[in-house]
Every structure is written in structure tokens, then in C-alpha cells.
Amino acid sequence: MRKLSYTINSENGIHARPAGILVNTVSKFKSDVKLLKGEKEANARSLFSIMGLGVKDGETLNIEICGDDEDILSEKLEEMLQNNFNARKVMETSGV
């Protein structure tokens, strides 16, 4: 299992667009991804689940990745978060 922790640096937090990008990215991999904010958790394959977390600017999001391709997926997610959900840039460089 891989774990990431990231403080959201986006004025609007994780709204529909970045949540959709996250779901799209995770769906290209086999590993399970769980998002955690405080006591709440969400399946990263579910837009509604992610939106239910209500992640706002400045809040910390913890991510747990578990599966056969967890190493590459954790790298892609970390890169995507650092690029403020610019999934296209991340996926183009990886060939996924």
C-alpha cells in the first residue's frame, strides 16, 4: 500500500472538474484508491463519493493506493496534485 498526503492549493478546492479528472485518471489503473479527509473517506472511482468529501482550499487530503500498479499510480496522482489536476500533462508524459 502506498500513502500520499497533500494539502489542496486551489481556490475552489476539489470541485466537479478536478474530481472528474481524478476519477478519469484512477479508472485507467487497476489499483484501489481511497481518499480520506478527517473521518470521511471516498472511493476515488466515484465522482459523487469524492464530491461528498467537500475538500476545500487549504485542507489536507490523504490518499491510500493499493494494488498491482500502485507504484506508478501513486507517482501519477502525486504529479497530478502538484500540477493542480492537470491530468492531461501527466498522462501525456506517461503514455497512459
Side-chain angles (χ1 to χ4, degrees):
M1 179 186 308
R2 299 287 304 260
K3 294 183 179 186
L4 302 172
S5 183
Y6 188 78
T7 301
I8 300 303
N9 184 22
S10 173
E11 183 177 313
N12 298 316
I14 299 182
H15 53 89
R17 186 189 63 77
I21 291 169
L22 184 57
V23 168
N24 245 356
T25 301
V26 170
S27 71
K28 293 175 173 40
F29 295 86
K30 295 178 184 174
S31 294
D32 293 321
V33 180
K34 186 176 4 176
L35 307 176
L36 302 118
K37 180 191 136 193
E39 297 295 316
K40 294 181 180 180
E41 69 176 61
N43 178 341
R45 295 183 187 279
S46 167
L47 181 68
F48 292 115
S49 185
I50 295 169
M51 296 298 296
L53 291 176
V55 181
K56 301 193 182 336
D57 183 35
E59 292 184 326
T60 299
L61 183 66
N62 294 301
I63 305 169
E64 294 179 357
I65 307 146
C66 185
D68 292 339
D69 52 6
E70 65 188 35
D71 292 332
I72 188 73
L73 178 52
S74 65
E75 288 175 20
K76 297 307 163 199
L77 290 177
E78 189 167 21
E79 190 175 342
M80 185 176 66
L81 289 165
Q82 291 173 355
N83 285 296
N84 282 329
F85 293 93
N86 188 345
R88 177 173 289 148
K89 179 179 176 184
V90 172
M91 299 314 257
E92 284 174 356
T93 61
S94 70
V96 174

